[in-house]
Amino acid sequence: MANFILEQCSSLNTFTVNFGTVTPTTGETYSFSDGLTGETICGTVLSLSFPSPTTYSAMTLYDNCHECIIDIPRSANTEENICLEICGPSGNTVTSVPSPHPVWTDNYGTEVTQLNAITLGGQNGLNN
């Protein structure tokens, strides 16, 4: 298992990424994800890294940063959880309920999920 240093496509931040048995070439662009948060990031390989713990794993090879960035599922704002209080004879319980979010298309044709809003009515809405 080899770790490499990648520079994020949208900033100058660097990350140590685990490539498993794959040996990337300097200058190649990959999407990689954080095993703790699930966040997906695009970056370009800079160099081999000294063995060190990392939560990032390489996922997909792309031709360039632009192709990688427009392919990543995107969302806007912070997800809001809906809590439902259920009143029963043995007391009240609170449970989190998944909610449908509106999806719109950006200027690159990439779907963006609006996490701080809820879809009302219509297909896939709360009134279904």
Side-chain angles (χ1 to χ4, degrees):
M1 293 188 353
N3 290 344
F4 289 79
I5 297 174
L6 274 74
E7 181 178 81
Q8 186 176 358
C9 287
S10 58
S11 73
L12 296 178
N13 295 333
T14 58
F15 297 85
T16 300
V17 178
N18 181 318
F19 276 80
T21 59
V22 175
T23 304
T25 303
T26 300
E28 287 182 331
T29 300
Y30 283 84
S31 63
F32 56 99
S33 69
D34 184 342
L36 297 177
T37 65
E39 177 185 21
T40 301
I41 303 171
C42 292
T44 302
V45 178
L46 296 178
S47 64
L48 180 64
S49 172
F50 292 106
S52 60
T54 180
T55 59
Y56 294 99
S57 298
M59 294 172 34
T60 307
L61 173 64
Y62 289 90
D63 290 335
N64 54 53
C65 280
H66 177 74
E67 286 184 10
C68 181
I69 290 171
I70 65 171
D71 195 40
I72 290 179
R74 296 179 36 194
S75 61
N77 297 308
T78 304
E79 181 154 26
E80 297 291 331
N81 292 319
I82 296 176
C83 292
L84 177 64
E85 184 176 4
I86 301 170
C87 303
S90 60
N92 297 352
T93 59
V94 177
T95 184
S96 181
V97 179
S99 58
H101 299 291
V103 177
W104 48 278
T105 305
D106 67 9
N107 292 338
Y108 297 106
T110 306
E111 290 185 348
V112 179
T113 304
Q114 188 74 34
L115 294 176
N116 68 341
I118 298 170
T119 303
L120 297 175
Q123 187 175 2
N124 300 321
L126 287 177
N127 293 333
N128 260 346

